[in-house]
Amino acid sequence: MPAATHVPEGPAMGPWLRLACAVLPVAATAVIGSVSTQAEIFGWYAGLAKPWFNPPDWVFPVAWTILYTMIAIALWRLLGARPLTGPSRGGWRLAVAAFAVQIALNAAWTPVFFSAHAVGLGLIVVAALLVMVLWTIRLTWRFDRAAAWLLIPYAAWVAFATILNAAILRLN
C-alpha cells in the first residue's frame, strides 16, 4: 500500500502570478479614477457647491495612492491565504469574489460621478461600495487578519466619501 501524500496548505499560485493578480486590478481602478477625474476637477466639479468638510483637491490623490497600496497588499495577502482543500475553501472564494466586486464598484464610481456627472447614481454606487468593503473585511478576517486590517482605512475613507457624495447631492 503506497504511503499517503500530503499536500501542504499554502498559496495555490506562484508568487509572480499572485502579485499580478493583486496589483493589476487595483492599478486599473486607479487609472480609471485618474482618467475620469482629471478633466472634471477644474471644470464641472469646481462649479459644484460643496460642504464645509470637503477636503482640498490635493488630498484625494494622496489618500487614494496610500489606500490603493494598502488594498493591493491586502489582496496579495488574501490570495496567499488560500486554502487548497477543506470546508473553508468556499469561504475563501467568497472573500475573493467580494474583493472583486468592491474593486469593480470602486472603478465604477469615478466615471459615474465625475464623467457622467451623475451625483445621485454616484451616491448609490458609493453606498454599495461601502457595504461591499465592509463585507470583504468580514470575509477576509477568517483567512488573513492583517489583510482585513489593511482594509479598515479604506472603509473609513469610503464612508467619508459616501457622506461627502450625499452632501454634494443635497447642495446641488
Side-chain angles (χ1 to χ4, degrees):
M1 182 172 206
T5 58
H6 174 68
V7 177
E9 293 286 324
M13 58 180 74
W16 293 109
L17 179 58
R18 186 172 135 214
L19 183 63
C21 288
V23 171
L24 291 177
V26 177
T29 299
V31 168
I32 290 167
S34 179
V35 167
S36 298
T37 58
Q38 286 194 356
E40 304 298 336
I41 290 295
F42 300 109
W44 171 79
Y45 185 73
L48 291 175
K50 295 177 206 68
W52 61 269
F53 58 87
N54 188 76
D57 292 340
W58 66 265
V59 170
F60 293 97
V62 172
W64 277 114
T65 299
I66 294 166
L67 292 170
Y68 282 140
T69 301
M70 294 171 75
I71 294 164
I73 293 168
L75 181 53
W76 177 79
R77 290 187 60 91
L78 178 60
L79 292 173
R82 178 180 179 185
L84 295 174
T85 60
S88 62
R89 185 173 187 174
W92 176 86
R93 286 183 176 165
L94 184 59
V96 171
F99 214 110
V101 170
Q102 66 81 16
I103 271 295
L105 286 167
N106 185 315
W109 180 82
T110 313
V112 167
F113 184 90
F114 282 97
S115 298
H117 305 172
V119 180
L121 183 55
L123 180 57
I124 293 167
V125 173
V126 77
L129 172 59
L130 178 58
V131 169
M132 286 306 301
V133 171
L134 293 171
W135 193 42
T136 301
I137 291 168
R138 182 174 183 269
L139 294 171
T140 300
W141 185 262
R142 290 182 49 208
F143 302 100
D144 190 313
R145 290 190 176 173
W149 277 109
L150 282 165
L151 296 174
I152 299 291
Y154 175 38
W157 184 260
V158 172
F160 172 73
T162 303
I163 293 166
L164 182 58
N165 193 148
I168 290 172
L169 178 63
R170 188 179 139 281
L171 292 171
N172 292 279

